C-alpha cells in the first residue's frame, strides 16, 4: 500500500499503486483537455470524497474505489439524487426537445 497526498484531504491516504496511477492519469488527461484549473478542481473533489470514505471506515483506497471516484466525482448533486425513472423521463424530454417536439409536464 502506498501513501499518497491529494488536494482536498490534509493527510496522506493509503492507496494501492494502481489506484495512485489511475488518479495521476485522470488528472493528466483533465489537465490536457480542460486545463490546469479544471484538473486542480478535480483533485480537490477527489480528495474530499476520499476523506469522506476514510472517515466512514474505509481503511484504504483500492483501484475499484478510485475508479468510481474519478469517474463520478464531478457528477452534479441534482443528478445523484434523481431516481432512475426521473433520469429516464428527463432523457426522453431532452431527446424530444432536440427534435422540436412538445412534451408534457
Amino acid at each position: 500500500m502506498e501513501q499518497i497526498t491529494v488536494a482536498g484531504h490534509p493527510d496522506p491516504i493509503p492507496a494501492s499503486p494502481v489506484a495512485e496511477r489511475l488518479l495521476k492519469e485522470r488528472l493528466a488527461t483533465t489537465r490536457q483537455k480542460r486545463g490546469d484549473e479544471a484538473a486542480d478542481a478535480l483533485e480537490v473533489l477527489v480528495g474530499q470524497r476520499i476523506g469522506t470514505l476514510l472517515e466512514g471506515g474505509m481503511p484504504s483506497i483500492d483501484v475499484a474505489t478510485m475508479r468510481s471516484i474519478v469517474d463520478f466525482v464531478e457528477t452534479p448533486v441534482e443528478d445523484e439524487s434523481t431516481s432512475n425513472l426521473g433520469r429516464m423521463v428527463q432523457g426522453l424530454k431532452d431527446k424530444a426537445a432536440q427534435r422540436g417536439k412538445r412534451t408534457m409536464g
Side-chain angles (χ1 to χ4, degrees):
M1 213 40 68
E2 303 287 324
Q3 293 286 323
I4 64 172
T5 56
V6 180
H9 187 67
D11 301 319
I13 299 164
S16 74
V18 179
E20 178 183 19
R21 187 175 66 234
L22 176 65
L23 175 60
K24 286 180 180 180
E25 289 171 359
R26 176 64 187 269
L27 291 173
T29 300
T30 301
R31 197 169 306 285
Q32 280 182 321
K33 291 182 179 179
R34 297 175 27 211
D36 290 340
E37 191 173 304
D40 293 344
L42 174 62
E43 185 176 3
V44 169
L45 290 172
V46 168
Q48 291 170 343
R49 180 65 181 138
I50 288 172
T52 300
L53 293 173
L54 295 175
E55 288 170 11
M58 183 169 279
S60 64
I61 305 301
D62 62 12
V63 68
T65 303
M66 184 64 80
R67 184 177 317 281
S68 69
I69 293 170
V70 299
D71 286 348
F72 299 107
V73 75
E74 292 182 301
T75 303
V77 173
E78 61 270 8
D79 287 349
E80 291 177 356
S81 64
T82 304
S83 70
N84 287 335
L85 180 58
R87 282 193 296 268
M88 182 186 76
V89 169
Q90 186 60 48
L92 292 172
K93 286 182 179 181
D94 291 346
K95 285 180 183 178
Q98 289 173 353
R99 293 183 179 136
K101 309 263 186 202
R102 288 186 53 212
T103 60
M104 294 177 26

